[in-house]
Amino acid sequence: MGVQLDWENLGFVYRDLPYRFRATWKDGEWHSEGLVQGNQLVISESSSALHYGQQCFEGLKAYRTKTGDLQLFRPDMNSKRLNASASRLLMPEVPQEMFIEACKDVVRANADYVPPYGTGGTLYLRPLLIGVGDMIGVAPATEYIFTVFAMPVGNYFKGGLKPAKFLASFDYDRAAPFGTGAAKVGGNYAASLYPGKVAKGQNYAEVVYLDPATHTKIEEVGAANFFGITKDGTFITPKSPSILPSITKYSLLYLAEHRLGLKAVEGDVFIDELDQFAEAGACGTAAVITPVGAINVRGTEHVFFSETEVGPTIKRLYDELTGIQFGDIEAPEGWIYKV
């Protein structure tokens, strides 16, 4: 590898790599530009993405295996989720074949920036779909840009697989009950910045968001999905129409049942019934798995397995998931795409 970076201390920050994929949609069809250089997008000042939030995005990773091969983890699921978000915002869907090939092309073109096996680093891919063009009315755009760019990253939460403390929010919601919570759109994240700042100001990693209708059930943990391991060995993760459907979460549901032999369910997780859990975690593409050491609920700290140590079941889930992603453990059929 010709690129020299501190691979084990990358952090989760933007880096301008040489190549990205770009395509434009106009007059009812996609026009691929293929791989391009330059990280600047030139768009109209009246683009609907800027004024009315007509944009959505994805996040996935490329991994370098022990043998040096490069692979993607379930990019077909990211494609489906991007298109679900696009449909919610009346944007054109991106054909799955174009999405997956774009991701592969970007990884190949920037292969020198995929961190070496064993460092814990990955190449993070950010597919982005935005409405552009000259229009000012509140209506779907007539033109769109789809791009995929990448950067090498380390852990999203500082410290990696170490427990973090979170603050339950009764004052702020991540999304409306019948809004865009299940879509990966920028507005959901912009709305989370202030509550996140409040939590960090009190020395918590992030906010635990409750269901916006009743504030009785856990929905998400910052920008990640929540899961818990009950004392009788059941893997439970919240189910709600306003939760972003995490690909990591659904992978863990499968692995918990089929690899660890746990009962695995999606269902209600009430904030006043945390005593049922022996362990808890937050999961997502960026975070992978972050153990939840404690949740502050109205001033009372509820500690799970430990505030300093990782629980045994979460450790097994983490090892199984990352083992698959880095090519050390056989993956369920269709989960790995070789680059």
Side-chain angles (χ1 to χ4, degrees), residues 286-297:
V288 189
I289 295 177
T290 296
V292 176
I295 297 176
N296 182 316
V297 183

Side-chain angles (χ1 to χ4, degrees), residues 60-124:
L60 66 158
K61 291 176 176 177
Y63 306 81
R64 191 181 296 278
T65 69
K66 188 180 293 185
T67 58
D69 293 335
L70 303 177
Q71 59 188 35
L72 297 168
F73 180 74
R74 310 192 77 179
D76 55 319
M77 299 296 289
N78 291 97
S79 171
K80 291 175 182 176
R81 191 171 66 179
L82 180 82
N83 284 336
S85 298
S87 295
R88 178 65 177 82
L89 270 60
L90 291 181
M91 304 170 77
E93 293 189 359
V94 175
Q96 185 172 101
E97 183 179 2
M98 183 169 82
F99 180 99
I100 294 176
E101 288 306 311
C103 291
K104 287 183 176 181
D105 288 347
V106 169
V107 174
R108 289 191 199 101
N110 298 293
D112 285 348
Y113 293 88
V114 183
Y117 172 86
T119 62
T122 55
L123 188 74
Y124 182 80

